[in-house]
Amino acid sequence: MTTVHNFGVSPISCHSWSGDRKSLALSQNSNEVTLFSSSGSDWKQTGLLDQHDLRVTSIDWAPKTNRIVTCSSDRNAYVWVLDDNNVWKKTLVLLRINRAATCVRWSPEENKFAVGSGAKIISICYHEKEFDGWVSKHIKKPMQSTVTSIDWHPNNILIAAGSTDFKVRVFSSFVKDVEARPSPTEWGSKMPMGYLMKEFSNSSAGGGWVHAVSFSPDGSKLAWAGHDSSISVADAANDMLVMKLKTNLLPMCSLTWIRPNTIAAAGHNCVPYTFIVESDAVKLGSAMEEDKKKESSGKTSAMDLFKNKDKLGQNELETKLNFTHQKQIAEIRIVGGQKGDVDTFSTCSLDGKIVVWNLKTLAGQMKGLKI
């Protein structure tokens, strides 16, 4: 079953849920972030974060500490904290970048966060007690282009980054001021700040830039989506084996692990798909929504044609997709459960909708659904 939440006609470029999943932060392709709280079946606006000068590119709401971090094309990031008067107070983060910030994510322990940017830099940000503010350390080499996506390893130290130089890289983000020395992982044992643990090319011939990256629940695998309509998985526990599936679908823009060996991905097809990760291959599962083809009701009268043009600005030749989303899906977020054991997840789209997908009811309704 899907639950559709409509927020108007403006495209939704990014969104994030609060820890209790009763509140939602979203940006409608603008320089503002709007906060909503659920009120029965409706949403009530409870706040507006409006300090950015240019378009907000990413939002992340920390579930444990209830802090929101936002980043924007204006090269800035803010951390927002709810004070005793129920007002969101901002703190500017010293990113030290000269190009747009493109993506942001809190670490699992929420003691730091990472910001990717068009400056070919990942800023690892943490709270400096003496300065009483958020400062950053940079990961620069060997990135050659814009960082498009980031994801944290469960150990709070390693971070994966996809970029437009067709590469996926795993770095160490160890900050000795805020955390203990890490123990070895499948990705390696040497982990100084900024150390390149592993680098993968999307393909030997380039293969298009990387749209999304995601570590598996146990951190032993790393999945990414490329602009060549491919889904790839690197298995650190299996001698860094890279499994790649080239699909005949349109490119995916976002992905996450909904089961230990199942990935949900969505993008320009306007509907999420599942991908099954086996020991030596990645296989396409199925679409998570059936094609809602409607039979024609016969000839359209002149009066109906006039009504469509007057009310909707449409005529009978305009196309409507047979899916819930009518435009590209920009982002997938987990709503119920956790990575690897997801009950519900949400998708935001350029059609102004946020759709919540319930895996249990979907599995009951769609016999061919592979999860």
Side-chain angles (χ1 to χ4, degrees):
M1 186 181 73
T2 58
T3 306
V4 181
H5 304 287
N6 206 320
F7 293 91
V9 296
S10 298
I12 299 174
S13 51
C14 50
H15 73 298
S16 186
W17 297 86
S18 63
D20 60 8
R21 300 304 191 255
K22 294 180 180 178
S23 298
L24 174 68
L26 61 85
S27 179
Q28 294 180 301
N29 204 39
S30 69
N31 65 329
E32 297 176 341
V33 174
T34 310
L35 305 182
F36 294 92
S37 291
S38 59
S39 177
S41 59
D42 296 325
W43 291 93
K44 180 182 178 182
Q45 182 175 332
T46 56
L48 185 68
L49 314 182
D50 59 355
Q51 287 301 307
H52 287 291
D53 296 324
L54 298 176
R55 185 175 71 91
V56 173
T57 52
S58 189
I59 309 165
D60 203 26
W61 198 328
K64 302 172 188 173
T65 57
N66 199 38
R67 295 182 296 208
I68 300 174
V69 60
T70 60
C71 70
S72 163
S73 296
D74 62 8
R75 302 169 296 172
N76 290 325
Y78 289 98
V79 175
W80 304 82
V81 180
L82 193 63
D83 66 10
D84 296 335
N85 298 319
N86 230 28
V87 176
W88 289 94
K89 296 295 185 181
K90 69 181 185 301
T91 303
L92 179 66
V93 182
L94 298 179
L95 293 181
R96 299 181 291 121
I97 57 176
N98 59 5
R99 295 291 187 274
T102 55
C103 49
V104 63
R105 289 291 182 271
W106 285 102
S107 69
E109 298 296 327
E110 299 176 15
N111 58 348
K112 57 185 179 179
F113 59 88
V115 180
S117 71
K120 302 180 283 187
I121 288 172
I122 301 173
S123 299
I124 306 298
C125 308
Y126 60 98
H127 193 266
E128 178 66 64
K129 291 182 180 178
E130 295 181 5
F131 174 68
D132 192 24
W134 293 88
V135 297
S136 63
K137 291 181 180 289
H138 283 173
I139 299 175
K140 296 181 180 180
K141 296 179 181 180
M143 287 177 287
Q144 299 297 315
S145 193
T146 299
V147 178
T148 55
S149 57
I150 49 179
D151 192 48
W152 287 92
H153 189 278
N155 73 349
N156 205 66
I157 302 295
L158 302 183
I159 186 167
S163 66
T164 54
D165 60 4
F166 318 137
K167 297 287 198 308
V168 175
R169 299 178 177 91
V170 178
F171 293 100
S172 168
S173 66
F174 172 60
V175 180
K176 63 180 180 180
D177 297 341
V178 297
E179 53 201 347
R181 188 167 296 278
S183 55
T185 69
E186 301 95 334
W187 300 94
S189 55
K190 185 180 178 183
M191 299 185 205
M193 176 65 189
Y195 183 71
L196 177 63
M197 310 295 292
K198 194 64 184 174
E199 179 181 276
F200 304 99
S201 178
N202 194 36
S203 84
S204 57
W209 63 47
V210 178
H211 283 296
V213 294
S214 181
F215 275 110
S216 62
D218 63 357
S220 64
K221 298 182 180 71
L222 175 63
W224 67 87
H227 196 68
D228 58 348
S229 301
S230 68
I231 298 290
S232 303
V233 176
D235 190 350
N238 192 10
D239 199 25
M240 299 296 173
L241 172 69
V242 177
M243 301 165 279
K244 181 169 184 173
L245 172 67
K246 293 200 73 170
T247 72
N248 59 359
L249 305 170
L250 295 174
M252 302 294 171
C253 298
S254 184
L255 55 78
T256 191
W257 296 76
I258 57 175
R259 295 290 182 268
N261 292 305
T262 306
I263 297 167
H268 293 273
N269 294 281
C270 307
V271 62
Y273 283 81
T274 61
F275 295 86
I276 312 301
V277 181
E278 299 181 348
S279 59
D280 58 351
V282 181
K283 294 186 177 180
L284 176 62
S286 57
M288 301 191 74
E289 188 176 17
E290 293 174 337
D291 202 344
K292 303 172 185 174
K293 290 184 178 177
K294 295 181 180 179
E295 294 182 2
S296 175
S297 57
K299 292 183 178 179
T300 305
S301 68
M303 180 63 75
D304 290 336
L305 217 91
F306 176 77
K307 285 180 179 178
N308 285 341
K309 286 184 178 180
D310 185 45
K311 289 184 177 180
L312 308 174
Q314 293 178 341
N315 60 46
E316 61 178 352
L317 298 177
E318 290 186 340
T319 304
K320 184 177 181 181
L321 298 179
N322 297 317
F323 299 113
T324 302
H325 280 304
Q326 293 297 299
K327 291 186 179 179
Q328 151 200 341
I329 293 173
E331 192 176 39
I332 291 177
R333 287 291 197 157
I334 295 172
V335 180
Q338 56 190 355
K339 187 185 282 189
D341 187 21
V342 175
D343 296 323
T344 56
F345 68 87
S346 62
T347 54
C348 71
S349 170
L350 304 188
D351 60 6
K353 297 175 184 174
I354 289 180
V355 178
V356 177
W357 307 76
N358 189 310
L359 296 180
K360 291 181 179 179
T361 55
L362 281 173
Q365 292 172 355
M366 298 176 62
K367 294 180 181 179
L369 181 61
K370 299 175 182 177
I371 299 178

